Amino acid sequence: MAHTRHFLTLLDFSPAELNDIIARAIEMKKEHRAGADQRKFPGQVLGMIFAKSSTRTRVSFEAGMAQLGGHAMFLSPTDTQLGRGEPIEDSARVISSMVDIVMIRTFGHDIVETFAANSSVPVINALTDDFHPCQLLADIQTYVEHRGSIAGKTVTWVGDGNNMAQSYINAARQFDFELRIACPEGYDPSAELLAANAGRVSIVRDPMAAAEGADLVVTDVWASMGQEEEQKQREAAFANYQVNGELMSRAASDALYMHCLPAHRGEEISAELMDAADTVIWDEAENRLHAQKALMETLLLANQ
Ligand code: CP
Ligand code: NVA
């Protein structure tokens, strides 16, 4: 177990390893589109534990594992003993004795850490309250495909200091870019994470100022899963934090904008930008498939 590699945050891989995964994702996407047989892992099983809803993550992992020749098993707390209080430690020990790799989407980040510490196979964080590293692989892949390396670029985050914002902080460190975070007071990312990345990450309260000259502008929902009851209060707090044409006019002329989806048109992003013919948001969503296939390949080969 001590040697099992996991992917709980972007910090679990070195910058070189992360860049290799991005390059492999781009390559696997081309292979897939050319109809290549990618069934490299026949008989291997991915356990997928979802304590929160999902469209992209479930479809991309399940389709991806099938394309790699393996099988994906959907496990929900309501149908397993996880929802009846079986300890995470015991569940991890049992599940990992029967499958080859596990992905978990849940609430507390400590849950994936505990699972991984007791798992004999690689564990992938498919979103916790604190981090969503798989989405960052897809986002960086998308940037690289459209604009080349993100190293040295300026990225502006507009909105909540949530799991995606915190993943962008880790990405700024690993992929070497400057990150400006425009969020209202009271919605900052973790102070500890900000302090650890003070040289490359800054809080700029005014979203227009934060977007000035940016190469990439990113946003996400104002109320994440588990915060549904705060929706109204958050709509008021984030009213000036919409990514729209006016905000993008402050960014670099070739700037891209991204959103991990699902989106609320007219809230964190304008309908005009969501529905623009040249948006890369749909590539970003599709790249979840390719990036996670590259990630699973890397972890499965490392655990052989
Ligand atoms: N972006 C993302 O993780 O989407 P889902 O919640 O649909 O999986
Ligand atoms: N921040 C959002 C991301 C959804 C993919 C959430 O956690 O609900």
Side-chain angles (χ1 to χ4, degrees), residues 105 127 132 162-164 220-221 224-225 260-262:
R105 167 168 288 197
L127 183 147
H132 193 7
N162 64 12
N163 45 10
M164 278 297 300
D220 185 15
V221 291
S224 286
M225 289 182 276
C260 64
L261 305 179

Side-chain angles (χ1 to χ4, degrees), residues 50 52-60 105 126-127 132 134-135 139 164 220 225 259-262 284-285 288 292:
F50 280 99
K52 288 176 175 170
S53 303
S54 169
T55 295
R56 279 144 290 270
T57 305
R58 178 169 179 186
V59 174
S60 55
R105 167 168 288 197
L127 183 147
H132 193 7
C134 291
Q135 185 66 52
D139 285 20
M164 278 297 300
D220 185 15
M225 289 182 276
H259 190 310
C260 64
L261 305 179
E284 180 190 2
R288 293 292 303 280
Q292 289 156 200

Side-chain angles (χ1 to χ4, degrees), residues 169 173 190-201:
I169 296 176
R173 180 187 202 101
S190 133
E192 201 179 310
L193 206 50
L194 286 172
N197 294 280
R200 61 178 73 82
V201 181

Side-chain angles (χ1 to χ4, degrees), residues 1-6 8 88-104 112-124 303:
M1 275 189 224
H3 304 297
T4 306
R5 297 283 310 262
H6 303 293
L8 307 189
I88 301 296
E89 292 86 341
D90 297 358
S91 305
R93 192 164 171 171
V94 172
I95 293 170
S96 70
S97 73
M98 301 182 195
V99 305
D100 302 282
I101 187 164
V102 174
M103 61 117 286
I104 309 180
V112 295
E113 288 177 336
T114 303
F115 197 104
N118 292 276
S119 171
S120 55
V121 301
V123 175
I124 296 170
N303 205 44

